[in-house]
């Protein structure tokens, strides 16, 4: 049945694409459809970029260099700490050193190593944050959009049915005679036209009601995602500045 409907719609779809037949256009819905497609493309792109960011984790070149730098800093601080450890004194050799300065230097080196390791750990754990606060939420938004997308596709099919029955009725009416046969054919085509218009109007009106609701919800869903991305970047750089 579905295949037969597709074949029935195909001639009209080809003619409509070529601009050789008149097509029904609802400008209000058309604007909503365009905006919906733009939103879907933007969310899909953001999801793709978030996944790429997640995949460019510690094993990737850029972050690998950052982690390598942090490890070098920790190693350097460890050397400084060793330098200020108490020195063994041979018999007869006096070793003079300010004990307070030595202890302060060791303490600062120890704290520095701890802070560097904290920053390194924070960087290594970034995937969890991105996955939970960005990727999973974006995927949920796209999941919410799927039923709407399917309904829009159904509406498109109903529009094709309505237009082809409408054009067939107009053509049949203009060529019709007063014969009983023509009257029956015209009545049957009128019935098909009425049914197709009713189905098209149903999908069209539902979408014109649902799409504005989705657009409002989309703003509420996207706001925390963008805030999460901003907070992640801000917190990371704040941590880097405070630690280093």
């Amino acid at each position: 049945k579905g295949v037969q409907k597709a074949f029935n719609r195909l001639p009209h779809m080809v003619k409509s694409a070529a601009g050789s037949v008149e097509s029904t256009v609802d400008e209000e819905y058309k604007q909503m459809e365009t905006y919906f497609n733009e939103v879907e493309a933007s969310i899909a792109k953001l999801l793709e970029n978030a996944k790429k960011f997640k995949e460019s984790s510690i094993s990737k070149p850029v972050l690998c260099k950052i982690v390598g730098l942090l490890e070098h800093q920790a190693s350097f601080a460890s050397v400084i700490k060793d330098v200020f450890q108490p020195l063994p004194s041979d018999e007869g050799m006096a070793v003079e050193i300010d004990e307070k300065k030595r202890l302060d230097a060791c303490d600062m080196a120890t704290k520095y190593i701890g802070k560097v390791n904290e920053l390194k750990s924070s960087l290594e754990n970034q995937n969890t944050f991105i996955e939970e606060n960005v990727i999973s939420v974006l995927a949920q938004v796209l999941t919410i959009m799927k039923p709407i997308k399917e309904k829009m596709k159904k509406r498109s099919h109903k529009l094709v049915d309505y237009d082809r029955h409408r054009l067939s009725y107009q053509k049949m009416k203009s060529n019709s005679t007063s014969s009983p046969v023509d009257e029956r054919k015209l009545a049957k085509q009128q019935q098909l036209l009425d049914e197709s218009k009713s189905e098209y109007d149903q999908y069209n009106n539902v979408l014109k009601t649902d799409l504005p609701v989705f657009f409002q919800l989309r703003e509420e869903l996207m706001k925390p995602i963008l805030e999460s991305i901003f907070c992640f970047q801000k917190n990371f750089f704040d941590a880097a500045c405070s630690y280093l």
Side-chain angles (χ1 to χ4, degrees), residues 155-181:
R155 184 253 185 205
S156 177
H157 290 165
K158 296 302 180 182
L159 175 58
V160 172
D161 290 339
Y162 167 59
D163 276 344
R164 67 188 182 89
H165 287 311
R166 177 176 57 82
L167 294 173
S168 294
Y169 176 79
Q170 291 175 355
K171 182 178 180 180
M172 188 178 294
K173 186 176 182 180
S174 63
N175 297 328
S176 177
T177 64
S178 300
S179 67
V181 175

Side-chain angles (χ1 to χ4, degrees), residues 18-186:
S20 59
V21 295
E22 177 191 356
S23 298
T24 300
V25 177
D26 185 327
E27 290 295 340
E28 182 182 2
Y29 172 80
K30 187 177 180 181
Q31 291 179 0
M32 292 182 184
E33 181 183 36
T34 300
Y35 184 55
F36 179 89
N37 291 334
E38 290 174 352
V39 169
E40 183 183 35
S42 298
I43 293 176
K45 184 65 176 178
L46 184 58
L47 178 59
E48 179 186 357
N49 290 337
K51 287 181 177 179
K52 286 181 179 179
F53 181 83
K54 178 189 173 184
E55 291 169 359
S56 65
S57 58
I58 302 307
S59 61
K60 302 300 179 180
V62 175
L63 292 181
C64 186
K65 290 179 181 179
I66 296 175
V67 173
L69 175 62
L70 294 176
E71 290 175 344
H72 173 74
Q73 294 292 323
S75 176
F76 182 73
S78 180
V79 172
I80 293 177
K81 180 180 177 182
D82 291 340
V83 168
F84 283 94
Q85 290 297 328
L87 296 174
S89 57
D90 294 334
E91 187 176 349
M93 179 185 295
V95 179
E96 295 183 3
I97 188 170
D98 189 321
E99 184 67 13
K100 184 177 183 305
K101 289 183 179 180
R102 184 186 67 77
L103 292 175
D104 287 344
C106 288
D107 183 58
M108 284 190 292
T110 300
K111 289 180 179 179
Y112 182 82
I113 293 171
K115 292 296 184 181
V116 169
N117 287 333
E118 284 181 28
L119 181 58
K120 178 173 173 286
S121 177
S122 174
L123 183 62
E124 291 172 336
N125 292 331
Q126 66 177 304
N127 283 357
T128 301
F129 180 91
I130 294 297
E131 178 66 38
E132 293 178 354
N133 295 277
V134 179
I135 293 177
S136 63
V137 182
L138 287 173
Q140 290 174 17
V141 175
L142 289 178
T143 300
I144 293 173
M145 296 179 74
K146 282 184 179 179
I148 302 176
K149 191 78 173 177
E150 291 174 0
K151 194 175 294 184
M152 292 170 71
K153 183 179 180 181
K154 195 76 173 177
R155 184 253 185 205
S156 177
H157 290 165
K158 296 302 180 182
L159 175 58
V160 172
D161 290 339
Y162 167 59
D163 276 344
R164 67 188 182 89
H165 287 311
R166 177 176 57 82
L167 294 173
S168 294
Y169 176 79
Q170 291 175 355
K171 182 178 180 180
M172 188 178 294
K173 186 176 182 180
S174 63
N175 297 328
S176 177
T177 64
S178 300
S179 67
V181 175
D182 284 350
E183 289 292 337
R184 285 194 296 270
K185 289 182 179 179
L186 191 61

